[in-house]
């Protein structure tokens, strides 16, 4: 993706990434975690939110720091980095709320051509996974590395 991104630090396993959102509300530490939910096939949940300072991450906080595009582009870059060590894994992404899932759908649709160059992308709707299409109200997404 061509959008501006924040610099981030990652764990050696590329299962956790940290970066600062910068805007009118100051610097806010963001965390992206990949948590394995299935072994065969290997599937990870992408958890993303604000660092609460005690090791927990909250996806309930609405930061509203004026940098949504840059934050989401940074999260997208962590997906590509994650696949460097976990190339045969899958990632599930689900917004905590319908409005958050809608935001993810919109941003994916806006960047679909770039995304499809490197990744396989499916949406979950009506109890099934389908190849991602614009203008469909998916409740979650499944991402894999393109062969």
């Amino acid at each position: 993706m061509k959008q501006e991104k924040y610099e981030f630090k990652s764990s050696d396993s590329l299962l956790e990434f940290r970066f600062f959102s910068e805007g009118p509300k100051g610097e806010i530490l963001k965390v992206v975690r990949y948590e394995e939910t299935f072994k065969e096939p290997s599937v990870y949940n992408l958890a993303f939110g604000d660092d609460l300072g005690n090791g927990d991450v909250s996806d309930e906080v609405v930061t509203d720091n004026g940098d949504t595009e840059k934050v989401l582009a940074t999260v997208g870059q962590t997906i590509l980095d994650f696949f460097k060590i976990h190339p045969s894994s899958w990632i599930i992404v689900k917004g905590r709320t319908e409005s958050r899932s809608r935001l993810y759908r919109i941003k994916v649709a806006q960047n679909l051509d770039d995304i499809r160059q490197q990744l396989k992308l499916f949406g979950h709707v009506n109890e099934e996974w389908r190849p991602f299409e614009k203008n469909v109200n998916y409740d979650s997404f499944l991402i894999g590395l393109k062969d």
Side-chain angles (χ1 to χ4, degrees), residues 6 9 16 25 33 36-37 40-41 45 64 66 69-70 80 82 85 109-110 112 119 124 127 132 135 138 143:
Y6 286 112
K9 295 187 180 200
E16 184 168 293
K25 296 188 177 176
R33 284 190 184 143
E36 192 168 38
T37 58
E40 294 292 326
N45 177 65
D64 198 21
E69 299 283 333
K70 194 170 182 179
L80 296 175
F82 168 88
I85 291 185
Q110 289 173 348
L112 193 54
L119 303 171
H124 190 259
E127 304 297 320
F132 185 91
N135 303 315
Y138 301 111
I143 306 166

Side-chain angles (χ1 to χ4, degrees), residues 13-14 20-21 27 30 32 35 39 41 50 52 64-65 69-71 81 84 94 96 102 115 119 128 133 139:
S13 63
L14 297 183
F20 285 97
S21 162
E27 287 189 342
K30 301 285 189 179
V32 181
E35 300 166 338
K39 293 266 187 209
D50 289 4
L52 297 179
D64 198 21
N65 212 11
E69 299 283 333
K70 194 170 182 179
V71 166
D81 283 12
K84 289 177 182 175
K94 181 178 177 91
R96 186 186 57 79
R102 182 176 181 273
I115 291 168
L119 303 171
E128 68 178 359
E133 294 177 28
D139 55 44

Side-chain angles (χ1 to χ4, degrees), residues 39-52:
K39 293 266 187 209
E40 294 292 326
S42 181
V43 178
Y44 288 80
N45 177 65
L46 187 157
F48 164 66
D50 289 4
D51 185 302
L52 297 179

Side-chain angles (χ1 to χ4, degrees), residues 103-120:
L103 172 65
Y104 298 162
R105 285 193 305 270
I106 290 168
K107 295 307 174 191
V108 166
Q110 289 173 348
N111 296 287
L112 193 54
D113 292 338
D114 288 340
I115 291 168
R116 284 190 171 149
Q117 289 178 18
Q118 300 177 68
L119 303 171
K120 297 181 263 190

